[in-house]
Amino acid sequence: MKKVELLAPAGDLERLKIAFTYGADAVYLGGEIFGMRSAAKNFTIEQMAEGVEFAHERGKKVFVTINIIPRNEELDQLKAYLLELDRINVDAVIVSDPGIFTIVKETIPNMEIHISTQASTTNSLASNFWYKEGAKRVVMARELSFKEIKEIRDNAAEDMDIEAFVHGAMCMSYSGKCVISNYTTGRDANRGACAQPCRWKYTLVDEVNPGQYEKVADEIDSSFFFNSKDLCMIEYIPQIIESGITSLKIEGRMKTAYYVATTVRAYRMALDEYYKNPKEWKFNPMWLEELKKGSHRDYSTGFYIDRPSEKAHNYESASYIRNYDFIGIVRDYEEETGLYIVEQRNKMNVLDKIEVIGPFKETMDATILEMYNEDGEEIESAPHARQIVKMKLDVKVDKDYMLRKPIVNIKTI
C-alpha cells in the first residue's frame, strides 16, 4: 500500500528541521517574496538551499509557495527567482495564479507544480484542467466534504496527487479570498499580508435613522463574528485515506517549533498505527490530548463531515488555549558531566515536574534535578528567553527532544 504524505509547515530553518525530525515527509515554506505569509520569517535562498539539502539527505521533500495573487509589477522578478529555486533543487512550487503558472512552465519546465488551495478547486473538471495543463498536484479547497473529494479522486488521473488541509487555523472566507484585511488596514490578504481581522471583536448595530445606531441585541455588547475554530481531523485517518487524499497538510507557518513538533508527532503516530493494520485501526485519545498540549483554538471538523453550523465558530473569544508552556529544547549532551544542554524558551526551575517528548516516543514524565548556567554556576531558575542551561534530569533524553510543563493557575481568595 502506498502511504500518504504528511506535509508540515516550515516558517524558518529550525522549524523545517524539527518537522522532519518529528516525522514529516515533506514541508512547505515561503521565500522572501511571492508567499502568502509575508509576516513569517521565511527563507533566504541560502537558507532554503540548506533546508533542501537537509531534506534530501533524509529522503524528504521541500515545496515552495508562490501562491499570491500578484500585480503586474510583482512579476518582474519572478523568472530570476524561479531559476534560483531550480538551481537549489526544490521539489515543487505551489501556485494559484494562472499567470504565475504560465511563467513557471516557460522558465523551469521540469519543475513539479502544485495548485494552491487559493485556486478554489472544488470539482473534477477544475482539477482535471490543472492536471492536463501540467500540474502534478491539486490542493483541495477547504470547503469540500469527504464525499466530494472522493468524487474528484474517482474522476482524476491515477498519478494526480490530491492534497488537503487536515489541521490548523481555518479562514472564515471562501478559500482564503478575504478582503476585510485590505479594507480595514490596507494589508492585502491575497498578497501575503493578512492582519487577521476575522479574529477581532466587533459590535453589531443597525442604523435605525441616518447617523443613529442601535445594537442588534442589547445583551450582546460585542462578539467574535468571524472567528472560526481550528480544524482537527486526527480522529478520521481512515476516512481521509479512503477519500483519496494523498497528502495530509498541516497549517501553521506562523506557529512555533513546539507546535510543529507536537502536531507532526501526533499525526505521525496516528498514520503509523493505521498502516500497521488498517482494518483494526482505532483512534487513540492520547493523540488528541497531545495536540491540545500545544497552543490552539477549539477544534472542529470543518466541511469534511457536514456543512459547518454556528458550532464551528467561537463567538466568545479569539484567544488561543494554552495549558502547557514549552520550556526548552535539548541541543546536546555532555558525557563527562551527565548534563543535558538545553535552549530555554520559557521559565523553568529546579525540581519542576515536566514532560518530555521526542520523535515517535511516548510522553515521559521527568524532574529537573539540577541546573547550571553556561559558566558552570549552579542556578535555581532559568528565566531568560533563549538562555542556554545545563541540567540533570531523572530520565534519558536525546537531541531535539522538547521539554514542557503544565501552566498552573493560582487563584487568590
Side-chain angles (χ1 to χ4, degrees):
M1 181 187 297
K2 184 179 178 181
K3 295 182 178 181
V4 299
E5 174 185 271
L6 182 57
L7 176 58
D12 59 20
L13 198 52
E14 180 190 43
R15 282 172 276 183
L16 176 147
K17 293 179 179 181
I18 287 294
F20 288 134
T21 299
Y22 277 75
D25 300 304
V27 299
Y28 63 101
L29 55 86
E32 295 179 305
I33 51 178
F34 297 111
M36 287 296 290
R37 292 293 181 271
S38 62
K41 290 183 179 180
N42 293 323
F43 287 70
T44 64
I45 288 294
E46 293 73 24
Q47 291 168 335
M48 210 180 290
E50 182 180 343
V52 170
E53 182 179 4
F54 184 90
H56 290 176
E57 286 173 351
R58 291 158 178 78
K60 313 287 188 177
K61 294 182 178 182
V62 174
F63 310 142
V64 177
T65 60
I66 314 179
N67 58 340
I68 67 167
I69 300 174
R71 304 295 176 87
N72 286 330
E73 65 270 17
E74 292 172 302
L75 296 175
D76 294 341
Q77 53 189 326
L78 179 56
K79 288 186 179 181
Y81 181 59
L82 291 174
L83 290 171
E84 286 289 275
L85 298 183
D86 194 44
R87 178 182 64 82
I88 64 173
N89 296 316
V90 302
D91 295 283
V93 293
I94 306 169
V95 307
S96 61
D97 178 72
I100 289 181
F101 183 92
T102 301
I103 295 173
V104 172
K105 292 290 293 179
E106 292 173 350
T107 308
I108 45 175
N110 294 321
M111 176 64 68
E112 185 171 303
I113 302 176
H114 299 175
I115 303 302
S116 170
T117 191
Q118 297 292 124
S120 306
T121 303
T122 57
N123 60 75
S124 298
L125 288 175
S127 60
N128 289 338
F129 165 82
W130 286 116
Y131 176 79
K132 290 174 183 176
E133 287 296 311
K136 176 66 171 65
R137 175 179 299 189
V138 179
V139 187
M140 299 289 97
R142 300 194 199 199
E143 294 77 25
L144 295 181
S145 66
F146 281 133
K147 179 177 181 292
E148 291 170 313
I149 294 172
K150 183 66 164 61
E151 289 171 352
I152 291 173
R153 171 77 276 166
D154 290 343
N155 289 282
E158 187 175 344
D159 65 339
M160 187 189 84
D161 291 342
I162 289 181
E163 180 182 305
F165 281 94
V166 298
H167 192 91
M170 290 284 284
C171 182
M172 52 73 63
S173 185
Y174 196 88
S175 291
K177 289 185 173 59
C178 183
V179 296
I180 301 177
S181 177
N182 205 350
Y183 180 77
T184 56
T185 69
R187 291 169 52 179
D188 192 342
N190 295 304
R191 295 162 78 192
C194 184
Q196 295 200 344
C198 56
R199 308 298 179 188
W200 299 352
K201 200 171 187 179
Y202 295 92
T203 299
L204 185 62
V205 299
D206 180 31
E207 188 175 20
V208 293
N209 292 304
Q212 182 183 355
Y213 301 93
E214 290 184 359
K215 293 177 185 176
V216 170
D218 287 337
E219 68 271 16
I220 301 176
D221 288 332
S222 57
S223 190
F224 295 87
F225 300 142
F226 310 121
N227 182 42
S228 300
K229 292 181 179 179
D230 284 359
L231 178 67
C232 179
M233 296 302 294
I234 199 163
E235 297 181 53
Y236 298 89
I237 296 298
Q239 293 92 325
I240 290 170
I241 295 173
E242 289 162 11
S243 72
I245 295 169
T246 50
S247 179
L248 283 61
K249 190 170 193 173
I250 297 168
E251 183 276 338
R253 280 194 286 140
M254 302 286 288
K255 302 292 181 64
T256 65
Y258 173 67
Y259 168 88
V260 172
T262 54
T263 309
V264 169
R265 175 174 176 261
Y267 278 88
R268 181 77 275 157
M269 289 190 287
L271 286 169
D272 288 350
E273 281 301 309
Y274 175 84
Y275 284 112
K276 285 179 183 178
N277 191 341
K279 293 182 179 179
E280 298 297 324
W281 186 88
K282 291 182 180 179
F283 169 68
N284 185 338
M286 182 271 287
W287 302 330
L288 182 57
E289 288 305 309
E290 192 62 29
L291 292 172
K292 289 182 177 179
K293 289 182 179 180
S295 181
H296 67 285
R297 297 184 181 91
D298 289 328
Y299 288 132
S300 80
T301 56
F303 289 78
Y304 278 106
I305 310 300
D306 203 352
R307 297 288 181 184
S309 66
E310 68 279 359
K311 294 181 181 179
H313 278 62
N314 184 348
Y315 297 99
E316 304 301 322
S317 172
S319 299
Y320 282 100
I321 301 168
R322 285 182 60 238
N323 299 315
Y324 279 75
D325 271 336
F326 169 38
I327 58 174
I329 181 168
V330 178
R331 295 302 190 190
D332 210 342
Y333 177 70
E334 290 184 345
E335 292 282 353
E336 62 275 15
T337 64
L339 298 175
Y340 294 102
I341 298 174
V342 174
E343 183 181 296
Q344 179 261 17
R345 296 298 176 90
N346 279 290
K347 185 178 179 180
M348 54 181 138
N349 307 289
V350 172
L351 299 183
D352 273 349
K353 302 296 183 182
I354 65 173
E355 291 183 357
V356 183
I357 62 168
F360 319 116
K361 306 289 184 182
E362 296 295 324
T363 301
M364 295 184 289
D365 294 321
T367 302
I368 300 176
L369 302 176
E370 302 170 13
M371 280 201 304
Y372 304 85
N373 63 21
E374 289 185 272
D375 297 323
E377 300 167 333
E378 190 166 5
I379 56 177
E380 293 296 316
S381 177
H384 306 299
R386 302 272 178 170
Q387 178 179 359
I388 298 297
V389 299
K390 299 178 181 181
M391 67 171 61
K392 181 169 288 187
L393 298 171
D394 59 349
V395 297
K396 184 177 180 180
V397 301
D398 290 322
K399 183 179 177 181
D400 292 327
Y401 277 34
M402 294 194 171
L403 315 180
R404 67 188 178 204
K405 65 178 183 179
I407 296 173
V408 179
N409 295 314
I410 301 176
K411 296 182 179 179
T412 57
I413 300 176

